[in-house]
Amino acid sequence: MSTTAKYIFVTGGVTSSLGKGIIAASLAQLLQARGFKVTIQKFDPYLNIDPGTLNPYEHGECYVTDDGAETDLDLGHYERFLNVRTSQANNVTTGRIYNNVITKERKGEYLGKTVQVIPHITDEIKRNIFLLGESGEYDFIITEIGGCVGDIESLPFIEAVRQVKWELGPNSSMVIHLTLIPYLKAAKELKTKPTQHSVKELLEAGIQPDILVCRTEMPLPMDIRKKMALFCNVHLNSVIEAMDADTIYDVPILMRKEKLDERVLAKLKATSKEEPVLEQWKNFLGKLKNPVNEVNVGLVGKYVSLPDAYKSIAEAFVHAGAENDCKVNVKWISSEEVTKESVDHILKNLDGVLVAPGFGERGLEGKIETIRYVRENKVPFFGICLGMQCAVVEFARNVLGLEASSTELNPKTKNPVIDMMEEQKKITIKGGTMRLGSYDCKLKKGTKAYAAYGESLIHERHRHRYEFNNKYLDQMEHAGLKAVGVNPESNLVEVVELKDHPWYVGVQYHPELKSTVLNPHPLFVKFVEAALEHKKIKA
Ligand code: GLN
């Protein structure tokens, strides 16, 4: 294996949900801000080939990359922090590793050998670790190992990390262990024992962590740092404090204060001329923390009890809000609660409404009712994927007077204004079979979408099976619902807008996936602007 990239592994101890993804993204951002090329990869220890078949309640949002990979939501953080694209190679599950090995075994590629976890599974993991480095494109590859050290299912990943560390040596590879230092209120003490145990667990697997990043509610006093350094075999300045932050976007700055980037560069003997250039980042944080305006935006969806299900939408609002010097308060509204009777009460104080993506018929009628209300009352409306499809159904029913639906909701509907895509009709398996990834879209000039993007050929990511039924196109356009963005090859309608409405845009794709700190998504920016405008008019 030849690679010039340096490998940084991030493991987790004590408990899950400590924010390994944010720490990895923050470190990557600091290295990038020093002029290095960095990418981040995540290994997930579950058996699904990818999270595409997982219910959002299980695992939060499924994040789609340009190349159509259905991936873990941490990849969204990587893209938002780094402003670089990820791909399938950036997210690998145990399921995918085993699938690759078993497929090879069936082809007879192991030449009669017994196929085993070690070396075959670990070799396949290592192949995936090195894959990103092969292009020579990156100076650093940060690999986040999902789950916690000590979990049975992450053992092969930990073993692969041990082997890579041994193969590459200390100047080219290192391990950062993210851990928790709980504060016991009754004893008024920070406790290091859980960390000591999880480091011990790593040592048993043959890995000495190089740096400890310690999540904590309280600042870490020197005696605690010393204790951890001594008992966990790390340098005192490699005990990094990671205090709870107001926003995830503070974390790179906090890590900079703790000199995480410097420690990493010193360990890996990498030289960097400059201090990290964080002006743009700080500028964004300044705008985020000092808004001059405020809007209330409703997010109508069916998975609202778990906001992680709409992670990228929530973050896109953070970016677009900062861009507008405006705090966006997102009100999470369950579409199942919206009915003809309740709609006015639920939506009347909102400055804009976003109808969210989703699958299945549950809550669909509530979304349609929501859209009727915002259309009639001229409240800024943003429909994404299923949200756009519901807008088309609503328009067909309430403006064209058709007995219409989406075949996802009612397969026998008289007027399937949203119908399953032709190529989807033959597909019977669920995993990885939707229309996925980046497609071109041509926007018409003089539209809201064109005004937002400022160009006519755009590229956006998709994840759906159903589409606008072009049989109804003329009828819809005639009555005022215009198809203003179309895929130039397939003619699929990608963007609809309503005439005579302050801001009503439905998109078949997922713009939220491409919003980053440095490039807030133009449609979110304009939607927030429209919500601000609506608020002014209302007042
Ligand atoms: N369920 C719809 C479809 O498959 C919309 C999907 C989505 O919102 N991502 O077409």
Side-chain angles (χ1 to χ4, degrees):
M1 186 271 332
S2 77
T3 174
T4 52
K6 297 190 187 265
Y7 288 84
I8 303 165
F9 297 96
V10 180
T11 57
V14 181
T15 163
S16 58
S17 304
L18 289 181
K20 284 195 294 288
I22 301 295
I23 292 293
S26 300
L27 171 61
Q29 152 64 212
L30 292 176
L31 295 173
Q32 195 190 47
R34 286 172 175 272
F36 292 111
K37 291 249 156 48
V38 192
T39 189
I40 318 179
Q41 168 187 51
K42 180 166 190 198
F43 285 125
D44 276 309
Y46 52 74
L47 287 176
N48 305 63
I49 301 274
D50 61 42
T53 51
L54 289 174
N55 184 320
Y57 282 128
E58 284 281 317
H59 206 64
E61 167 188 279
C62 171
Y63 186 81
V64 180
T65 52
D66 274 346
D67 63 342
E70 296 179 284
T71 73
D72 186 78
L73 59 76
D74 270 345
L75 270 78
H77 291 308
Y78 306 162
E79 290 204 8
R80 288 188 280 273
F81 275 57
L82 297 185
N83 203 32
V84 294
R85 302 284 168 239
T86 55
S87 69
Q88 181 64 70
N90 296 74
N91 189 204
V92 182
T93 68
T94 293
R96 187 172 294 273
I97 297 285
Y98 273 79
N99 197 40
N100 292 350
V101 169
I102 291 168
T103 307
K104 249 167 122 178
E105 186 276 333
R106 290 290 81 184
K107 286 192 194 151
E109 287 184 22
Y110 291 105
L111 305 173
K113 287 268 185 238
T114 309
V115 181
Q116 293 177 297
V117 173
I118 298 173
H120 302 101
I121 292 296
T122 44
D123 280 354
E124 179 59 16
I125 295 172
K126 286 196 291 180
R127 191 182 70 78
N128 279 278
I129 291 174
F130 292 129
L131 210 57
L132 282 168
E134 275 167 9
S135 64
E137 208 182 314
Y138 300 109
D139 303 308
F140 293 98
I141 291 162
I142 302 180
T143 301
E144 175 191 346
I145 309 291
C148 267
V149 169
D151 293 349
I152 291 174
E153 49 183 20
S154 57
L155 280 174
F157 290 112
I158 298 292
E159 169 59 11
V161 171
R162 185 195 67 76
Q163 292 184 18
V164 171
K165 247 194 133 192
W166 181 81
E167 282 168 28
L168 295 183
N171 295 350
S172 294
S173 60
M174 67 179 296
V175 171
I176 297 176
H177 189 54
L178 176 63
T179 179
L180 175 72
I181 311 294
Y183 178 74
L184 293 193
K185 274 207 189 94
K188 293 201 176 54
E189 263 183 313
L190 286 161
K191 290 294 186 189
T192 65
K193 195 71 89 193
T195 297
Q196 293 181 43
H197 280 296
S198 87
V199 169
K200 221 183 218 161
E201 196 106 37
L202 262 180
L203 285 169
E204 261 169 43
I207 295 176
Q208 166 65 54
D210 300 280
I211 291 180
L212 297 178
V213 175
C214 307
R215 278 296 301 273
T216 170
E217 295 172 55
M218 302 281 171
L220 294 181
M222 191 42 86
D223 61 323
I224 293 279
R225 291 184 190 238
K226 278 188 181 156
K227 194 168 165 187
M228 270 195 308
L230 179 65
F231 292 129
C232 301
N233 294 316
V234 296
H235 289 121
L236 182 57
N237 57 11
S238 294
V239 177
I240 303 285
E241 168 192 289
M243 286 272 288
D244 294 351
D246 294 344
T247 139
I248 54 172
Y249 300 106
D250 276 332
V251 180
I253 308 296
L254 294 178
M255 289 302 102
R256 174 71 195 122
K257 280 199 189 118
E258 284 285 298
K259 302 195 166 75
L260 175 62
D261 53 335
E262 278 176 42
R263 293 312 303 151
V264 165
L265 294 176
K267 294 260 172 210
L268 292 175
K269 308 259 181 311
T271 41
S272 137
K273 313 144 246 134
E274 310 141 49
E275 284 270 300
V277 180
L278 292 166
E279 270 48 56
Q280 276 180 300
W281 193 272
K282 286 183 181 159
N283 185 26
F284 159 77
L285 272 179
K287 282 161 91 62
L288 180 65
K289 294 190 169 183
N290 302 292
V292 276
N293 282 308
E294 196 170 346
V295 286
N296 294 320
V297 161
L299 187 149
V300 180
K302 85 173 178 189
Y303 311 111
V304 286
S305 57
L306 183 79
D308 261 7
Y310 303 111
K311 193 80 201 157
S312 294
I313 294 181
E315 298 306 326
F317 274 128
V318 174
H319 310 151
E323 183 72 13
N324 281 295
D325 298 304
C326 173
K327 181 166 192 278
V328 180
N329 302 313
V330 179
K331 310 275 176 212
W332 305 85
I333 299 166
S334 163
S335 48
E336 284 174 283
E337 278 163 26
V338 184
T339 59
K340 239 188 184 57
E341 293 69 43
S342 67
V343 65
D344 182 66
H345 176 71
I346 296 177
L347 304 181
K348 69 169 182 259
N349 291 324
L350 297 173
D351 307 310
V353 174
L354 183 147
V355 176
F359 292 85
E361 61 171 308
R362 189 163 61 82
L364 228 92
E365 291 297 347
K367 289 187 170 176
I368 293 171
E369 194 49 38
T370 299
I371 299 167
R372 183 193 59 76
Y373 181 91
V374 295
R375 178 177 55 77
E376 290 178 353
N377 293 287
K378 300 209 186 298
V379 180
F381 162 70
F382 194 6
I384 297 185
C385 207
L386 182 62
M388 171 268 201
Q389 299 176 352
C390 288
V392 173
V393 173
E394 191 279 324
F395 192 81
R397 284 185 188 173
N398 300 328
V399 178
L400 299 180
L402 297 175
E403 209 178 290
S405 198
S406 155
T407 45
E408 186 173 18
L409 177 65
N410 174 9
K412 297 210 173 78
T413 177
K414 263 201 196 141
N415 292 291
V417 288
I418 298 291
D419 198 7
M420 191 177 266
M421 283 180 266
E422 219 30 65
E423 68 265 26
Q424 286 288 328
K425 291 186 179 156
K426 301 165 229 130
I427 296 171
T428 51
I429 55 170
K430 289 264 189 281
T433 56
M434 284 185 249
R435 181 179 184 226
L436 286 166
S438 182
Y439 285 90
D440 291 351
C441 170
K442 200 93 199 272
L443 297 175
K444 291 208 175 107
K445 295 210 166 121
T447 60
K448 301 254 171 10
Y450 183 83
Y453 286 92
E455 56 192 339
S456 58
L457 185 63
I458 58 159
H459 320 275
E460 291 282 7
R461 299 181 194 169
H462 292 251
R463 182 172 190 249
H464 59 110
R465 294 196 169 84
Y466 295 83
E467 58 162 323
F468 184 106
N469 186 343
N470 274 329
K471 275 189 220 139
Y472 294 88
L473 181 60
D474 285 345
Q475 223 178 328
M476 299 259 181
E477 291 216 308
H478 197 69
L481 189 71
K482 305 277 187 194
V484 305
V486 174
N487 178 297
E489 273 145 44
S490 60
N491 254 344
L492 292 177
V493 172
E494 314 283 35
V495 189
V496 296
E497 285 183 13
L498 187 66
K499 242 179 63 193
D500 305 324
H501 189 285
W503 209 89
Y504 180 110
V505 179
V507 293
Q508 183 57 78
Y509 50 80
H510 290 268
E512 72 277 17
L513 302 176
K514 285 178 77 172
S515 186
T516 70
V517 166
L518 293 187
N519 276 322
H521 196 283
L523 287 177
F524 277 86
V525 173
K526 291 290 176 194
F527 175 59
V528 171
E529 208 178 288
L532 270 165
E533 197 54 38
H534 183 75
K535 186 181 166 185
K536 261 192 235 149
I537 295 169
K538 256 189 346 185

